[in-house]
Every structure is written in C-alpha cells, then in structure tokens.
Amino acid sequence: MKVIVLNDALEISKDAAEIIINQVNKKKDSVIGFATGASPVETYKRIIEAYERGDVSLKHITTFNLDEYVGLNRENVNSYFWFMKDNLFGKTDVDFDRVNFLSGLAEDTEAECERYSKRIRECGGIDLQILGIGTNGHIGFNEPGEKFADGPFAVKLTQSTIDSNKKYFEAVGDTMPEYALTMGIGDIMRAKKIILIATGASKAKAVKALVEGEVTAECPASILKLHSDVTVFLDNDSAALLGERK
Ligand code: F6R
C-alpha cells in the first residue's frame, strides 16, 4: 500500500485526478468504480477541468458506483446517482448508458445485487476504484462487523455512518435512510487498481487502523493491505495519528 501525505485536499485532488485521467487516456473504455461523499469532490472538479481543457474524454468509460441508499429514486438530491450527475457525470461527456448503479428502489434487493455483480463481471471487472473511508473504517458501505462480504448486499447503516451523513438529509428536511445497497469487499478487492482519499481529523483514527492496524473486519478498509496496487492519499490532519514513516 502506497501512502502519500499531502498538505490539503487541493493537492490531493491534483494527484488523484492525474491517476484517473492517465488511466482513461491509456484505456479509453476503462471501467471506473466511483465513490460519492465529500472526499472525492475536489478530485472530480479537477477531472471536469481537464475535460473542459480537452485533456480527457470520459465518453467511452463504463462506471460502477459503490453504493446507493435504499428507498431513494435517482431524482432525489441525496441519492448517490444525483450526486454523481451533479459532481461529475453531468459536467463531462460521460455516456449515461454506460453508468451503472445499484437501484435503491429495487423490491428484490437480492436479485438487484446479483444483477450488479453479474454486470461488473460482464464488463471485465473494475480497472480503477476510487474510495473514501468512513470515520468507522467502512469502505463503500461495508460497515465494521464480523466478516468481509464478497459481492453486493443490502446493509443496515451504523449509527456512526448515520451521524456522519444525516446533515445532507436534514438540510432538505428529510430523514436519512437506514439501509443502503453496497458493493462488497470482494468487488472492491477485485479492482485492478485502487485509490483511497481521506482528509480531515475525523478520519485520523480510521486511517491509523487502515495503515497500521491488523487486517480485520472490524476495520473493513484494513483489507486493502492485501491488495497489490493501492494508493492512499492523506492530508496532514487525517495522517496525524500515524507513526513515523520512512
Ligand atoms: C461513498 C462511500 C463511503 C464514503 C465514506 C466517506 O460512496 O462509499 O464509503 O466514501 O463514507 O465519506 P466522506 O467522503 O463524505 O467523508
């Protein structure tokens, strides 16, 4: 695992965007796994800027997002589909026919998860997966628990995740859903390349468990240590609890 500590989110966004842009320029039809949330927003801005300069086209990429809230339709401003449309896809030439999402409205969540899993396989797997990390060490919505999940599944969100994200729902007078559909750890680990972005002091404990702790389902992100191509981008605050690094 390569750990890169930079000064702030802006510096991280430049380096992280460069990796994504290089991936797409090297393989126009790359399969990219996207994350939502605050962590990748600056990076997505750098990609939009590169697109506007004509330095990259996302027209031929296929996308898979990590997760979606149960019960939200795509027009809901707090759905992750809307987030991606608003923060990246709708501001570039992403082809919406190649955008894949778990459906928060699926009645049969098991069948929906199976469909998504099959779709990832049909597309040849994920070339590059972008991740954030929860304050409790989750990746995607793989919450701390007793074992690592392989494929996509329906998850009851922990109080920690609800406490971190409920502000977005409260801002529009809604209540945050308690359930989500998420890619499993297996789906994430099968990605050929992974980048994880963590900023801010609230992530420091989870980052320490990720970088220095043992591999345990109690910190789902810790499994990334077993992947051969992971780059972790940290700012000084999220890296604050790490020991001396060579
Ligand atoms: C989002 C996702 C989550 C977030 C994590 C960090 O699609 O899967 O794992 O990456 O909760 O969220 P932020 O970036 O908002 O701190």
Side-chain angles (χ1 to χ4, degrees), residues 34-40 65-67 80 131-134 138-141 161 165 168 203:
F34 284 100
T36 58
S39 306
N65 260 80
L66 282 167
D67 35 28
Y80 282 161
L131 296 175
I133 183 171
H138 73 214
I139 47 175
F141 275 143
T161 298
N165 290 354
Y168 301 116
K203 300 293 172 70

Side-chain angles (χ1 to χ4, degrees), residues 35-55:
T36 58
S39 306
V41 167
E42 280 299 315
T43 300
Y44 295 162
K45 283 186 191 160
R46 301 294 86 74
I47 297 174
I48 294 166
E49 288 162 8
Y51 163 71
E52 287 170 349
R53 285 195 304 271
D55 289 345

Side-chain angles (χ1 to χ4, degrees), residues 42-223:
E42 280 299 315
T43 300
Y44 295 162
K45 283 186 191 160
R46 301 294 86 74
I47 297 174
I48 294 166
E49 288 162 8
Y51 163 71
E52 287 170 349
R53 285 195 304 271
D55 289 345
V56 69
S57 164
L58 304 183
K59 200 170 176 173
H60 301 292
I61 68 166
T62 296
T63 78
F64 285 91
N65 260 80
L66 282 167
D67 35 28
E68 183 59 282
Y69 290 111
V70 166
L72 301 196
N73 67 46
R74 294 179 159 200
E75 302 310 314
N76 187 306
V77 293
N78 276 307
S79 73
Y80 282 161
F81 180 87
W82 185 273
F83 177 99
M84 288 310 301
K85 191 174 158 193
D86 201 34
N87 285 287
L88 183 66
F89 297 166
K91 293 178 172 155
T92 60
D93 57 351
V94 162
D95 175 357
F96 277 87
D97 287 342
R98 291 170 179 269
V99 168
N100 294 282
F101 254 87
L102 284 155
S103 168
L105 295 184
E107 277 177 24
D108 183 344
T109 54
E110 227 169 275
E112 174 59 5
C113 290
E114 186 43 47
R115 178 196 69 78
Y116 206 60
S117 185
K118 189 162 160 249
R119 188 89 193 103
I120 297 174
R121 288 197 301 275
E122 281 167 1
C123 293
I126 293 169
D127 292 307
L128 172 61
Q129 176 67 53
I130 300 143
L131 296 175
I133 183 171
T135 52
N136 63 2
H138 73 214
I139 47 175
F141 275 143
N142 290 267
E143 299 283 35
E146 283 163 20
K147 52 184 176 53
F148 296 108
D150 183 25
F153 66 105
V155 60
K156 184 167 179 13
L157 299 170
T158 59
Q159 194 55 45
S160 153
T161 298
I162 292 172
D163 289 344
S164 296
N165 290 354
K166 66 180 181 198
K167 55 180 180 282
Y168 301 116
F169 291 87
E170 285 170 356
V172 292
D174 278 348
T175 311
M176 181 170 158
E178 286 179 13
Y179 288 87
L181 298 185
T182 181
M183 273 190 208
I185 290 292
D187 299 312
I188 295 170
M189 290 295 280
R190 280 187 286 275
K192 296 179 187 81
K193 190 179 182 69
I194 297 175
I195 58 178
L196 182 146
I197 300 171
T199 58
S202 68
K203 300 293 172 70
K205 240 177 97 193
V207 163
K208 189 170 175 69
L210 157 67
V211 177
E212 296 176 353
E214 61 184 46
V215 174
T216 162
E218 282 303 319
C219 174
S222 64
I223 200 163

Side-chain angles (χ1 to χ4, degrees), residues 20-32:
I20 301 164
I21 291 164
N22 285 345
Q23 169 69 42
V24 176
N25 281 339
K26 202 173 67 194
K27 184 181 173 205
K28 302 253 172 264
D29 59 351
S30 288
V31 179
I32 310 285

